[in-house]
Amino acid sequence: MDERIRRHAEVLVDQCAAVERGDMVRVNAPAVAEDLVVAVYERLGEIGARPTLAWRNSRASRAFDRAMDPEDYTRSDHTLAMLEETDAYIGINGARNLAETSDVSPENMTAARRENKDLQEALKETRWVGTQYPAPGDAQKAGMSTEAYEDFVYRAVDRDWDAQREFQAQMVEILDDASEVRIVSGEETDLTMSVDGMIAENDADDNNMPGGEAFTAPVPDSVEGTVRFDKPRMWRGEEILDARLTFEDGEVVEYSARQKEDALEEILNTDDGARRIGELGIGMNRGIDRFTYNMLFDEKMGDTVHLALGSAYDENVGEDREQNDSAIHVDMITDMSEDSFIEVDGEIVQRDGTFIFEDGFEE
């Protein structure tokens, strides 16, 4: 077995999920990721944990969702019961066909997301981590050979995570003490938001592998201005290009896209909370140096920021602060490498992708 796969498994089990002897561990993965599942199981056995395995099948999911009446979706209580007895959860992504569910109706997909909300809440009570196996479908979508994509994935994953956490902590400290953040990029993005009383977090080797961002939540009704997301966003197999959103009092009042505007509209119409921002994230993983149509990596890419339409994470919401609530959390990315800056309480803290605490920063 490729030693990089064993190292990936060790990072997931030992660092991200912090599995201990006797833990009840749920592993959820597609069949294409079998090698990583085997390595994870081997490490769990060395520790003395008690794993169960759920194989995901996107073709089966497509068949089910196409056959369902939207009104027949109900909470999966047996899955909820399993999660309530789970100590640690390791979710592995990987695809043979990333567009497998693209012909499932929006009504069914929205209904499924709403009924899964309790499952997502239960998952948060475990020590959970999500990761990526370098599968052929993901490599193809990234426009890379399978071998090149493997190198890319492991370069992003196999890092000195203590050093990465320390690097990101500098931006977390800035955000945690902040009242207002302004994001400017080119002539089309100028957005301000209050983060007063919100809590900034450091995503290194915790719930996402790879990690690589500092993130917080805006006060829901504080977002003002316009943002252009110049990186594509995949939604149910469709590519949204050049999405533009204008906010007033925290809510999207105008929107457009050069391609698949109807998909953007579907996102915004999920529920009331889908028209507000639940997360501001700043990408800081310099091991991720290209866009690959995979949000697990793309949102962590250095020289980017991302905003999520929809729900805010519990850990970002301060005491006595309102939390944006939605059935979705849809990240969208803006390039900050040129003609851009991030301003915190009137001080520029990043210009053209270089942070104030890095060599080469020019105010």
Side-chain angles (χ1 to χ4, degrees):
M1 179 180 290
D2 190 329
E3 283 303 312
R4 297 177 301 178
I5 298 177
R6 293 189 188 278
R7 172 61 182 154
H8 193 175
E10 290 172 0
V11 170
L12 293 173
V13 173
D14 296 355
Q15 294 180 228
C16 300
V19 176
E20 299 177 352
R21 184 175 184 273
D23 276 349
M24 303 297 168
V25 182
R26 181 73 162 180
V27 180
N28 189 301
V32 72
E34 181 179 2
D35 284 350
L36 181 55
V37 171
V38 170
V40 165
Y41 258 59
E42 181 177 46
R43 183 60 188 144
L44 292 173
E46 291 170 349
I47 291 173
R50 301 297 300 154
T52 60
L53 175 61
W55 289 113
R56 288 199 313 277
N57 186 303
S58 58
R59 290 182 62 207
S61 297
R62 171 185 176 272
F64 175 81
D65 286 323
R66 282 173 59 86
M68 278 286 282
D69 186 305
E71 296 183 0
D72 288 339
Y73 283 93
T74 58
R75 187 179 68 189
S76 177
D77 286 339
H78 63 304
T79 304
L80 180 61
M82 177 274 297
L83 287 172
E84 289 173 344
E85 295 298 323
T86 296
D87 298 307
Y89 181 98
I90 299 173
I92 300 170
N93 293 323
R96 290 191 173 94
N97 179 5
L98 283 165
E100 191 65 63
T101 61
S102 61
D103 55 359
V104 176
S105 73
E107 293 79 12
N108 283 45
M109 296 297 287
T110 298
R113 284 193 295 270
R114 286 172 177 160
E115 293 305 325
N116 281 333
K117 197 171 180 182
D118 287 346
L119 303 184
Q120 295 300 317
E121 292 301 318
L123 179 61
K124 292 176 183 177
E125 298 301 315
T126 71
R127 301 190 302 278
W128 66 271
V129 60
T131 195
Q132 177 71 46
Y133 180 79
D138 301 282
Q140 184 178 33
K141 188 61 184 177
M144 303 171 72
S145 69
T146 302
E147 182 178 352
Y149 188 65
E150 288 172 351
D151 292 341
F152 166 81
V153 168
Y154 294 125
R155 187 166 62 249
V157 166
D158 195 5
R159 300 180 66 77
D160 182 340
W161 288 108
D162 290 337
Q164 184 71 33
R165 179 177 293 279
E166 184 177 342
F167 172 60
Q168 293 171 188
Q170 299 171 90
M171 193 65 216
V172 171
E173 183 177 358
I174 291 171
L175 289 175
D176 215 25
D177 293 336
S179 294
E180 183 178 86
V181 177
R182 181 185 178 199
I183 300 167
V184 175
S185 181
E187 297 181 355
E188 298 180 84
T189 295
D190 192 342
L191 201 69
T192 60
M193 64 194 72
S194 171
V195 294
D196 184 49
M198 294 304 198
I199 302 167
E201 293 287 342
N202 190 342
D203 174 23
D205 56 351
D206 302 306
N207 298 132
N208 296 309
M209 182 47 58
E213 65 171 297
F215 65 102
T216 189
V219 176
D221 63 358
S222 72
V223 183
E224 298 281 346
T226 299
V227 58
R228 174 191 173 218
F229 298 108
D230 49 18
K231 297 298 184 184
R233 169 69 209 205
M234 297 301 296
W235 182 252
R236 301 196 312 107
E238 297 183 318
E239 186 176 22
I240 302 171
L241 294 180
D242 279 333
R244 293 171 172 83
L245 303 177
T246 298
F247 292 84
E248 292 181 4
D249 297 325
E251 186 174 3
V252 175
V253 293
E254 294 180 17
Y255 62 90
S256 66
R258 179 162 57 87
Q259 177 176 296
K260 293 299 179 182
E261 187 173 301
D262 56 338
L264 177 61
E265 182 178 28
E266 178 190 328
I267 293 169
L268 294 169
N269 288 340
T270 301
D271 49 37
D272 290 343
R275 288 179 172 263
R276 297 181 180 273
I277 296 297
E279 179 197 4
L280 162 65
I282 300 173
M284 300 182 70
N285 186 335
R286 295 276 165 70
I288 302 172
D289 55 5
R290 61 178 292 169
F291 185 83
T292 61
Y293 291 91
N294 185 328
M295 193 56 68
L296 179 64
F297 295 85
D298 296 339
E299 69 173 5
K300 317 298 192 329
M301 185 166 51
D303 305 348
T304 65
V305 299
H306 59 273
L307 301 168
L309 291 167
S311 61
Y313 294 121
D314 294 343
E315 59 264 36
N316 288 136
V317 181
E319 188 176 355
D320 300 326
R321 287 295 187 268
E322 180 185 355
Q323 179 171 359
N324 196 50
D325 185 47
S326 175
I328 63 168
H329 181 96
V330 180
D331 295 296
M332 306 182 82
I333 300 171
T334 295
D335 184 4
M336 299 292 288
S337 63
E338 296 181 358
D339 193 21
S340 67
F341 62 85
I342 299 173
E343 184 180 279
V344 175
D345 295 335
E347 180 182 14
I348 294 176
V349 299
Q350 186 205 64
R351 185 181 291 282
D352 297 342
T354 302
F355 294 100
I356 192 172
F357 43 81
E358 288 186 291
D359 293 339
F361 174 78
E362 295 182 7
E363 188 172 351

